[in-house]
């Protein structure tokens, strides 16, 4: 009894001083953060004051890979163009990690790839710590590592420029509380793809092998339990930081469902379909006008692992091996996409090797970071447009293929399934598949159709994609972000 009493006395003698120390440290932290916020507000006033003495609003986009050529970058440039039209007096800033190119080269790249030219100047803030958000830096606990890395990258951005309005256009949600509470900004976010989703939780829970779930984890019940706990904790924190956003825009019904379940901010969340350059493709004739015999199959998308280009090559190889195709005209698969870094370039080399291993290298071509006119030319020649990403958040490449008059064959999930490859006035607009056999069979089916039947599908597909135009995006985007400027 005496020992228990002494232990309790010792515990209480440490508890209250410890509580006081923790409370003091918390107060000191709050004071320091408040002081930093005041300093940043003073810095903001100096930046936003023009030569005429007027305060100019500073609008900043956080897009570390703005020089890439994917759908996310098209959203960035179209959003900037829309805001510049409505708020021409504002100062526009883009935080980017593309330190190897100049601002002018980035703008020229945007025009070359997307046919977008801004009407007012943009200031680029070049960030040196982009390596902190590279997935290659975190072989384990990748989601947590990249998210924490984005906080440090966001801090570097905030120290260089304090905006009035901050928009995360790449999905780095962990930067939102930093800019809102430390920077004192109005914050908005355009979510292409949730960092974690209920689908990812299901894969781990059911012990299925996937892109984010290695085989050695699925074979070990203990490791699966640990990873599931890690994912649930991360999803909880992701929901907290995401809820800091004053305005949330999502690119599809699929993304909306996940963000509503995680962030729980339905009152300020809207679907804003990403802008697709539909109009530019409408001058491509719908009839099958071939400058070369045979059929061209194209794939449009960045060379990222989740795009699942190996599935396209394997399905194409299976198609070539089918007896029904042996007597058909020659076939060619053209993979068109952007490479952001050395990892993407390595991935392309691996795909080349896969083509060689399957013996189809002479039928497969890779077109990397090509100009917009060249992309358009390939789409005009193509019979089928391929898409193989599981749970693609939206699928701008899918829309572009449909607008250009190719018959789309997309993955039976995500945005393509829910929003894009859906019937238009009762007519089919494309096809969906899930595995090698399904893709190979559907490609063979499309190629066996009469030209008249393919033309009918092309017309329905083209008529259905007008809701994804640049003009529709501008209206929806400006309506959604209006709250940030009040």
């Amino acid at each position: 009894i005496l020992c228990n009493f002494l232990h309790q006395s010792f515990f209480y003698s440490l508890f209250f001083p410890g509580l006081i120390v923790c409370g003091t440290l918390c107060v000191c932290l709050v004071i320091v953060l408040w002081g930093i916020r005041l300093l940043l507000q003073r810095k903001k006033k100096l930046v936003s004051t023009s030569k005429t003495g007027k305060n100019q609003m500073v609008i900043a986009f956080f897009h570390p890979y703005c020089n890439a050529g994917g759908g996310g970058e098209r959203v960035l440039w179209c959003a900037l163009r829309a805001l510049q039209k409505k708020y021409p007096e504002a100062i526009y800033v883009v935080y980017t990690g593309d330190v190897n190119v100049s601002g002018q080269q980035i703008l020229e790249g945007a025009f070359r790839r997307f046919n977008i030219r801004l009407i007012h100047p943009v200031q680029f803030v070049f960030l040196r710590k982009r390596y902190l958000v590279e997935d290659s830096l975190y072989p384990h606990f990748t989601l947590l590592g990249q998210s924490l890395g984005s906080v440090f990258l966001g801090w570097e951005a905030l120290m260089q420029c304090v905006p009035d309005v901050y928009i995360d256009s790449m999905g780095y949600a962990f930067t939102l509380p930093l800019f809102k509470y430390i920077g004192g900004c109005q914050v908005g976010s355009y979510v292409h793809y949730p960092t974690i989703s209920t689908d990812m939780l299901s894969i781990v829970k059911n012990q299925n092998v996937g892109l984010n779930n290695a085989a050695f984890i699925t074979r070990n019940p203990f490791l699966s339990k640990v990873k599931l706990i890690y994912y649930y904790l991360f999803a909880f924190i992701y929901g907290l930081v995401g809820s800091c956003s004053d305005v949330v825009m999502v690119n599809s019904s699929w993304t909306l469902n996940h963000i509503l379940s995680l962030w729980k901010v339905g009152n300020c969340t809207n679907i804003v379909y990403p802008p697709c350059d539909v109009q530019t493709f409408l001058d491509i004739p719908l009839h099958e006008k071939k400058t070369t015999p045979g059929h061209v199959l194209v794939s449009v998308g960045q060379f990222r692992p989740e795009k699942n280009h190996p599935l396209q090559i394997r399905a194409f190889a299976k198609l070539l091996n089918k007896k029904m195709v042996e007597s058909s005209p020659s076939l060619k698969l053209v993979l068109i996409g952007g490479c952001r870094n050395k990892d993407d370039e390595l991935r392309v080399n691996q795909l080349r090797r896969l083509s060689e291993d399957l013996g189809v290298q002479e039928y497969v071509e890779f077109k990397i970071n090509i100009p917009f006119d060249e992309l358009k030319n390939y789409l005009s020649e193509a019979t089928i447009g391929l898409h193989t990403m599981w749970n693609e958040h939206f699928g701008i490449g899918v829309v572009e293929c449909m607008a250009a008059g190719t018959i789309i064959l997309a993955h039976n999930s995500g945005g393509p399934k829910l929003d894009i490859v859906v019937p238009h006035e009762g007519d089919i607009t494309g096809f969906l598949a899930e595995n090698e056999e399904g893709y190979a069979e559907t490609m063979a089916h499309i190629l066996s159709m009469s030209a008249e039947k393919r033309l009918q599908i092309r017309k329905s597909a083209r008529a259905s994609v007008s809701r994804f135009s640049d003009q529709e995006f501008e209206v929806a985007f400006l309506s959604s972000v209006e709250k940030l400027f009040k």
Side-chain angles (χ1 to χ4, degrees):
I1 296 173
L2 179 61
C3 287
N4 288 336
F5 175 75
L6 289 174
H7 278 113
Q8 289 178 1
S9 299
F10 181 70
F11 172 76
Y12 285 119
S13 67
L14 292 178
F15 177 75
F16 290 108
L19 195 62
I20 293 170
V21 170
C22 289
T24 303
L25 289 174
C26 288
V27 170
C28 290
L29 180 62
V30 170
I31 292 172
V32 169
L33 292 176
W34 187 257
I36 293 173
R37 176 175 170 136
L38 291 177
L39 288 173
L40 291 175
Q41 294 302 307
R42 193 174 299 172
K43 185 178 179 180
K44 181 197 294 185
K45 288 183 179 178
L46 293 174
V47 173
S48 60
T49 303
S50 66
K51 294 178 181 179
T52 59
K54 295 180 180 179
N55 282 337
Q56 290 179 284
M57 180 181 293
V58 179
I59 304 170
F61 284 81
F62 190 77
H63 209 103
Y65 294 92
C66 75
N67 198 41
E73 287 66 58
R74 169 169 272 282
V75 169
L76 168 69
W77 302 119
C78 284
L80 274 166
R81 183 175 61 184
L83 288 172
Q84 286 186 346
K85 289 178 184 176
K86 188 168 184 178
Y87 306 100
E89 300 299 321
I91 297 172
Y92 292 91
V93 174
V94 175
Y95 300 114
T96 177
D98 296 301
V99 296
N100 297 322
V101 291
S102 67
Q104 185 58 38
Q105 287 174 317
I106 292 173
L107 293 173
E108 288 172 359
F111 177 71
R112 187 177 66 254
R113 296 185 187 113
F114 306 117
N115 201 30
I116 296 173
R117 195 179 294 281
L118 300 180
I119 54 179
H120 295 294
V122 172
Q123 298 177 16
F124 291 92
V125 174
F126 292 94
L127 307 176
R128 301 285 171 181
K129 294 184 175 62
R130 190 177 73 178
Y131 64 89
L132 292 175
V133 296
E134 295 277 355
D135 56 0
S136 58
L137 191 64
Y138 312 100
H140 305 292
F141 298 98
T142 309
L143 294 180
L144 181 62
Q146 286 184 291
S147 297
L148 293 178
S150 72
V151 175
F152 288 101
L153 189 64
W155 180 263
E156 181 189 359
L158 189 59
M159 290 300 101
Q160 292 194 56
C161 176
V162 186
D164 296 289
V165 175
Y166 169 81
I167 299 175
D168 164 39
S169 52
M170 265 203 86
Y172 292 105
F174 280 68
T175 64
L176 296 172
L178 180 68
F179 277 83
K180 182 171 185 174
Y181 297 115
I182 306 299
C185 312
Q186 290 282 78
V187 299
S189 56
Y190 189 97
V191 184
H192 299 273
Y193 197 90
T195 304
I196 192 167
S197 67
T198 52
D199 292 328
M200 292 167 65
L201 292 170
S202 297
I203 286 175
V204 177
K205 190 174 183 179
N206 298 328
Q207 294 182 254
N208 296 328
V209 178
L211 186 64
N212 297 299
N213 202 35
F216 76 91
I217 291 178
T218 63
R219 290 193 295 264
N220 190 312
F222 175 74
L223 290 179
S224 292
K225 286 282 195 309
V226 171
K227 184 164 187 176
L228 188 61
I229 293 170
Y230 159 57
Y231 267 20
Y232 272 116
L233 287 173
F234 183 86
F236 174 72
I237 298 170
Y238 180 63
L240 288 180
V241 297
S243 65
C244 295
S245 192
D246 299 306
V247 166
V248 181
M249 293 163 282
V250 297
N251 63 348
S252 69
S253 302
W254 183 88
T255 308
L256 175 69
N257 294 334
H258 287 284
I259 289 299
L260 288 179
S261 67
L262 292 165
W263 291 12
K264 302 184 187 341
V265 284
N267 59 321
C268 63
T269 304
N270 299 296
I271 294 180
V272 178
Y273 289 126
C276 307
D277 198 5
V278 175
Q279 191 62 39
T280 304
F281 295 103
L282 294 182
D283 60 342
I284 297 176
L286 283 179
H287 63 273
E288 296 189 10
K289 181 182 178 182
K290 303 293 180 184
T291 58
T292 56
H295 294 282
V296 177
L297 294 75
V298 298
S299 163
V300 181
Q302 285 185 317
F303 290 103
R304 304 202 306 264
E306 62 270 23
K307 295 295 184 181
N308 202 0
H309 289 94
L311 175 56
Q312 298 176 7
I313 296 173
R314 291 193 180 98
F316 180 67
K318 189 161 285 191
L319 172 68
L320 290 177
N321 291 331
K322 282 183 174 290
K323 291 182 179 180
M324 66 181 74
V325 178
E326 286 179 355
S327 59
S328 299
S330 63
L331 300 176
K332 181 185 290 186
L333 173 63
V334 181
L335 284 75
I336 304 170
C339 279
R340 303 164 300 170
N341 48 39
K342 290 182 178 178
D343 288 339
D344 288 352
E345 292 171 5
L346 177 63
R347 211 163 282 120
V348 172
N349 290 332
Q350 291 171 342
L351 292 171
R352 291 185 197 276
R353 284 196 294 272
L354 176 62
S355 300
E356 293 171 2
D357 293 342
L358 295 173
V360 296
Q361 68 273 19
E362 61 180 291
Y363 304 104
V364 179
E365 291 184 11
F366 294 86
K367 300 296 176 180
I368 302 165
N369 297 329
I370 62 174
F372 181 80
D373 286 340
E374 192 174 348
L375 165 66
K376 186 176 174 182
N377 184 56
Y378 274 107
L379 288 176
S380 70
E381 290 291 323
T383 301
I384 298 175
L386 281 179
H387 164 274
T388 48
M389 179 176 171
W390 173 70
N391 271 343
E392 169 86 272
H393 42 289
F394 180 71
I396 287 182
V398 174
V399 174
E400 288 178 344
C401 285
M402 292 168 71
T406 68
I407 295 181
I408 193 67
L409 172 53
H411 198 279
N412 189 25
S413 63
K417 177 183 180 181
L418 297 175
D419 294 310
I420 306 174
V421 190
V422 295
H424 176 70
E425 297 180 355
D427 297 322
I428 65 171
T429 56
F431 298 88
L432 300 168
E434 294 183 26
N435 51 40
E436 285 179 36
E437 191 63 36
Y439 274 95
E441 288 180 358
T442 309
M443 283 188 281
H445 171 63
I446 294 170
L447 295 174
S448 67
M449 287 179 175
S450 66
E452 291 75 20
K453 179 61 177 175
R454 285 199 290 261
L455 178 60
Q456 183 182 345
I457 296 173
R458 286 186 168 98
K459 286 181 177 178
S460 297
R462 178 172 280 186
S464 73
V465 297
S466 59
R467 59 207 164 101
F468 305 126
S469 66
D470 287 1
Q471 293 75 22
E472 292 292 330
F473 169 80
E474 288 189 7
V475 171
F477 178 81
L478 291 175
S479 174
S480 296
V481 300
E482 192 175 0
K483 177 183 175 183
L484 300 176
F485 299 92
K486 290 181 179 178

